[in-house]
Amino acid sequence: MARGARTPANIPVEARGARCGRCGGELRPGYRLRGGALRCLHCALRHPPLVRRSLVTALIVGTVLTAINQGGRFIDGDVDLGVLLRMGLTYCVPFIVSTSGALGAARRDGPPPAER
């Protein structure tokens, strides 16, 4: 067996035979999102409420960070392609952090709380 492979004995109770509530794919691990259905990573990343919440966070935090980091350049009128690229990346960071935090909180790879 390959190093790090999961044997049936060590696959978490909740994930044994569990399927994604959207695509039907096998869950390793699963993500329990609002509404209660288990989702695979691919479907969890496309879950509209998660994407919407991450976008709102990115807009708020990205705008504040852009104002702090690039505000002087806007005032001076010194905006070039490099500044615009950094601005775009400034919005990507809070989106990624928000999404990964939500997925980390929703990850279910152990037995349900009642069985612990």
Side-chain angles (χ1 to χ4, degrees):
M1 181 171 289
R3 182 178 175 185
R6 298 176 113 185
T7 60
N10 68 3
I11 293 176
V13 173
E14 188 176 34
R16 288 183 195 151
R19 297 280 178 199
C20 174
R22 185 166 185 264
C23 71
E26 184 178 354
L27 296 175
R28 282 191 170 176
Y31 299 89
R32 187 171 303 281
L33 303 173
R34 285 188 181 171
L38 281 171
R39 301 287 171 99
C40 64
L41 177 61
H42 181 70
C43 291
L45 286 171
R46 296 178 12 203
H47 188 60
L50 184 137
V51 173
R52 192 175 7 221
R53 189 169 40 247
S54 294
L55 282 173
V56 169
T57 300
L59 285 174
I60 294 168
V61 175
T63 300
V64 170
L65 290 174
T66 298
I68 291 169
N69 295 325
Q70 308 300 335
R73 295 226 177 185
F74 276 115
I75 293 170
D76 296 341
D78 185 25
V79 178
D80 59 7
L81 184 60
V83 172
L84 293 175
L85 179 62
R86 285 191 297 274
M87 286 174 53
L89 291 174
T90 300
Y91 283 90
C92 290
V93 170
F95 180 83
I96 292 168
V97 170
S98 178
T99 301
S100 66
L103 289 176
R107 183 179 171 133
R108 298 292 177 252
D109 58 358
E115 294 181 24
R116 288 184 185 174

